[in-house]
Structure formats: C-alpha cells, structure tokens
Amino acid sequence: MNNTYLSINSDFTRSTIRSWWRDLSENRGDRADLRRCHDLTEVFFCPSFHRLYLSLLTEGKVKREALALVTVALAHVKEDISGVTFAQQMGEYRHGQTPQISKMRFRKLVRCESYPELFLPVTRVIRMMDGVVNIDDLVKKLYFWNEKSRKEMTFEYFEKVLQSEGSQGGKKNE
C-alpha cells in the first residue's frame, strides 16, 4: 500500500469512482443496500463500499468515513452533469420561483462539521435535486469536507442565487 493519501483529483481516482457509480446503476441490489443505510457505520457493511475502497487503496491511504459518505451520496445520483458545481446547482432557480435548495436548507447543510452529521442532509439534498448532480464536484466537496470547502460552496451557492434573482428583476421571497 502507498504511504501517501489518495488524490481525489487524479484521473485514476475520478475514473475509478465514475466506473463504480456506473456499475451501481446496473446492480440495483448494491444501490438499494446503500440507499437503505441510516448512518456511515451501516455503509461499512455494504460490499459495494468495500469494492470501491479496495480499488482506491492502490493510489494511497483512503479516508474511510469520507469515502463512505461519498458512496452513499453517489447511490442517490441518477444523472451526472458538468459545467456547474454542486453548490451552484442548489442555487439555481427552479421554475423561476425559488432556488432548488432553499437558503435555510443550504445553511443547515454547510453548518455540518463532520461526515456523520452530513450524512442525512446531503442525501436529502441530492434527492430534492432529483439525483442530477455534478459527480466530480460532489465527490471533491464531500471527500474534503472542511471549512474551506464549506466557504467555497457558500460563495458558489449565493453567487448563483443572486444571478437568478437579478435575472428575475429583483429579490424573491422564500
């Protein structure tokens, strides 16, 4: 095993995670097992988590709780999009009325400080977005969940919200 930490941005890591996610859509039992998990400990009992974990170990040390959160989040993703970050997606206006994810729900999400605390809010947000997210950005933000990523997400979210409000001709009430 490598003594360095896993680089989540490496081509190998990104392609391994994407391949694992595509395999999930073909293996509905594994996807269902992950979706039924109520916390990160339950994720550790899912063979699909261990398949991904073992395939990434060749690249470096893997943060287990972070990867467990990533795997359960990806189990809720139905479609991958690009060109917009996960936070920007949350701030996009749905049907011209309000952001996909309300400011209050977004605030609750970014206030989470640990992987276990983030488990339920992130899966709810992905479901509210109909499972359509930017996988690369989602994985990066969740795996490195810290003060820096939370601030970055906050700026991305509110920039998108304010852009949408500007195009609507003024601020909308939530």
Side-chain angles (χ1 to χ4, degrees):
M1 183 171 104
N2 198 337
N3 283 333
T4 62
Y5 282 93
L6 177 71
S7 171
I8 209 73
N9 293 322
S10 77
D11 289 339
F12 173 83
T13 302
R14 285 199 332 264
S15 68
T16 300
I17 290 171
R18 285 178 165 284
S19 175
W20 176 88
W21 173 72
R22 281 190 294 274
D23 290 345
L24 261 189
S25 63
E26 295 171 14
N27 190 336
R28 294 172 43 179
D30 284 348
R31 181 181 292 262
D33 285 345
L34 287 167
R35 285 181 175 183
R36 280 192 292 264
C37 292
H38 293 94
D39 58 37
L40 292 180
T41 302
E42 289 183 13
V43 176
F44 296 137
F45 291 100
C46 296
S48 58
F49 163 79
H50 289 279
R51 280 193 292 279
L52 179 59
Y53 174 74
L54 292 172
S55 66
L56 293 173
L57 275 179
T58 59
E59 292 298 297
K61 294 178 185 176
V62 177
K63 295 172 19 178
R64 291 177 183 147
E65 275 194 334
L67 188 63
L69 181 63
V70 165
T71 58
V72 81
L74 289 177
H76 289 86
V77 174
K78 297 175 187 172
E79 182 182 338
D80 179 29
I81 63 168
S82 60
V84 62
T85 68
F86 180 53
Q88 288 169 336
Q89 288 177 261
M90 288 187 265
E92 286 180 344
Y93 270 47
R94 181 181 283 182
H95 311 298
Q97 300 294 320
T98 59
Q100 267 196 91
I101 304 303
S102 73
K103 293 173 187 171
M104 184 184 317
R105 186 173 297 276
F106 177 78
R107 197 170 286 127
K108 286 180 183 179
L109 177 76
V110 295
R111 282 186 179 158
C112 296
E113 294 185 7
S114 67
Y115 296 115
E117 189 180 354
L118 189 57
F119 181 91
L120 191 56
V122 81
T123 55
R124 281 184 180 158
V125 163
I126 293 169
R127 284 193 307 254
M128 290 174 72
M129 295 169 59
D130 300 322
V132 179
V133 300
N134 180 327
I135 288 178
D136 288 339
D137 191 62
L138 174 71
V139 168
K140 184 175 99 176
K141 296 285 179 19
L142 294 183
Y143 193 82
F144 295 112
W145 190 255
N146 56 31
E147 188 68 27
K148 181 182 175 191
S149 64
R150 293 194 306 266
K151 283 179 184 176
E152 187 176 303
M153 285 181 66
T154 301
F155 278 97
E156 292 168 353
Y157 175 84
F158 280 102
E159 285 172 10
K160 193 64 168 180
V161 167
L162 292 175
Q163 281 177 355
S164 297
E165 287 175 353
S167 68
Q168 297 291 317
K171 186 174 188 243
K172 302 281 183 190
N173 293 329
E174 282 192 46

